[in-house]
Amino acid sequence: MTPPRIVILTGAGISRESGLHTFRDPDGIWARHRIEDVATPEAFARNPALVQGFYNARRAQLRDPSLHPNAAHEALAELDARWPGDLLLITQNVDNLHDRAGSRRLIHMHGEMAKARCLRCGVVSAAEGDLSPETPCPACGTTGGMRPHVVWFGEMPLEMERIGEALEACDLFVSIGTSGAVYPAAGFVQEVRHHADTLELNLEPSEGSHLFDETRHGPATQLVPAFVKDLLAKWA
Ligand code: BV8
């Protein structure tokens, strides 16, 4: 028997217990900022300083020594290292906690806050500190064109072809810590539910819970390690 081909989708809920805010919980990011002001290309064109400030503040959290991957990130990294079959982790998150936990077979479909993209030459480079109009592009040297390497609303998510192939081929789709509010990620379960088993691990029912074969509710740091342990006990 070949091991099931697995696709996992994560959202902000998996990083919540590391101390990063989600978007739509009552204390979430969209309770303090309007999407139209900070997370669209129009917002960046209208007021780049406001948008850069929004991402500089969130990027600064990534440098906080108290911020660590949690048991859910670590369990997925262990699965990545030990799973003998196909596996792809697709995250909507722009934090670097899956990377720091050690996940390798990983796609950041909404980009990464710790990277910047030059509007002049298109090169993506590491961005640990604040971005400003004075930040020079390390590739072409020009200033004034560095933006967060993040997919805003109205922009095409990254690696959608590779994602589509993985969804089409998968036998098991697991959605973790996402409200199912943002497309096209929220539509993935629709794409797979007729050919794959589908499982949702979330603190509470998401907008798409009814589309899953099985949903388990609770904190990711409890649900994800248990899920990975069962899977590895069966197959690895
Ligand atoms: C696009 C980066 C097209 C920025 C983000 C239909 C089809 C296609 C598009 C659309 C469509 N309908 C509408 C659209 C447009 C739009 C959209 O979906 N709008 C919504 C609001 C209706 N989509 C887009 O614009 C996308 N682009 O479609 O392009 C296109 C086509 C051709 C050519 C060009 C373009 C782009 C969307 C990406 C936007 N960027 N992020 C940033 O991060 O700053 S989206 C943002 O929302 C984040 O990426 C976030 O990850 C994502 C989803 O949010 P969640 O991760 O789910 O977080 P949320 O707070 O919502 O939920 C957290 C969950 O965790 C909750 O359920 C909670 O219960 C749970 N939880 C909390 N604590 C825990 C927990 N679970 C477990 N344990 C815990 N401890």
Side-chain angles (χ1 to χ4, degrees):
M1 279 276 277
T2 50
R5 291 162 295 194
I6 305 175
V7 171
I8 298 169
L9 173 70
T10 62
I14 201 169
S15 297
R16 185 68 195 88
E17 290 162 270
S18 293
L20 291 181
H21 282 296
T22 63
F23 289 88
R24 292 167 187 82
D25 285 326
D27 64 346
I29 293 172
W30 298 147
R32 295 192 304 280
H33 301 273
R34 284 168 11 108
I35 288 176
E36 305 75 41
D37 294 340
V38 293
T40 67
E42 295 76 16
F44 188 60
R46 186 171 56 244
N47 189 340
L50 177 71
V51 174
Q52 295 286 29
F54 172 65
Y55 285 97
N56 288 344
R58 286 173 62 196
R59 192 177 302 110
Q61 286 183 295
L62 300 186
R63 300 193 297 271
D64 183 331
S66 69
L67 180 76
H68 301 290
N70 61 49
H73 297 106
E74 284 161 4
L76 293 183
E78 183 190 6
L79 182 63
D80 185 298
R82 294 180 52 197
W83 187 247
D86 286 350
L87 173 81
L88 179 63
L89 171 54
I90 302 165
T91 189
Q92 300 172 87
N93 300 342
V94 293
D95 64 54
N96 57 5
L97 294 176
H98 282 308
D99 314 73
R100 286 178 53 189
S103 284
R104 293 283 169 270
R105 294 182 273 183
L106 169 62
I107 290 180
H108 281 271
M109 67 178 287
H110 291 163
E112 300 170 70
M113 261 193 303
K115 292 183 179 171
R117 186 164 77 245
C118 176
L119 294 173
R120 309 276 189 271
C121 69
V123 167
V124 174
S125 53
E128 305 298 332
D130 287 357
L131 290 179
S132 79
E134 286 71 45
T135 308
C137 168
C140 70
T142 57
T143 58
M146 295 295 270
R147 63 162 278 181
H149 182 50
V150 160
V151 176
W152 285 322
F153 286 91
E155 295 185 321
M156 181 57 104
L158 307 175
E159 302 226 45
M160 286 304 290
E161 201 173 315
R162 195 172 144 213
I163 289 172
E165 287 162 7
L167 291 172
E168 203 173 317
C170 78
D171 305 304
L172 173 59
F173 176 75
V174 188
S175 178
I176 303 171
T178 179
S179 62
V182 173
Y183 290 83
F188 290 170
V189 62
Q190 290 272 28
E191 290 183 49
V192 302
R193 60 196 292 257
H194 297 303
H195 64 262
D197 295 332
T198 53
L199 169 63
E200 179 178 73
L201 307 177
N202 210 56
L203 192 63
E204 59 202 13
S206 75
E207 292 185 26
S209 285
H210 61 288
L211 298 167
F212 287 83
D213 299 321
E214 185 190 353
T215 57
R216 297 175 198 162
H217 297 138
T221 55
Q222 287 173 26
L223 295 180
V224 179
F227 161 71
V228 168
K229 185 163 174 272
D230 287 352
L231 210 52
L232 289 175
K234 265 189 215 136
W235 290 96

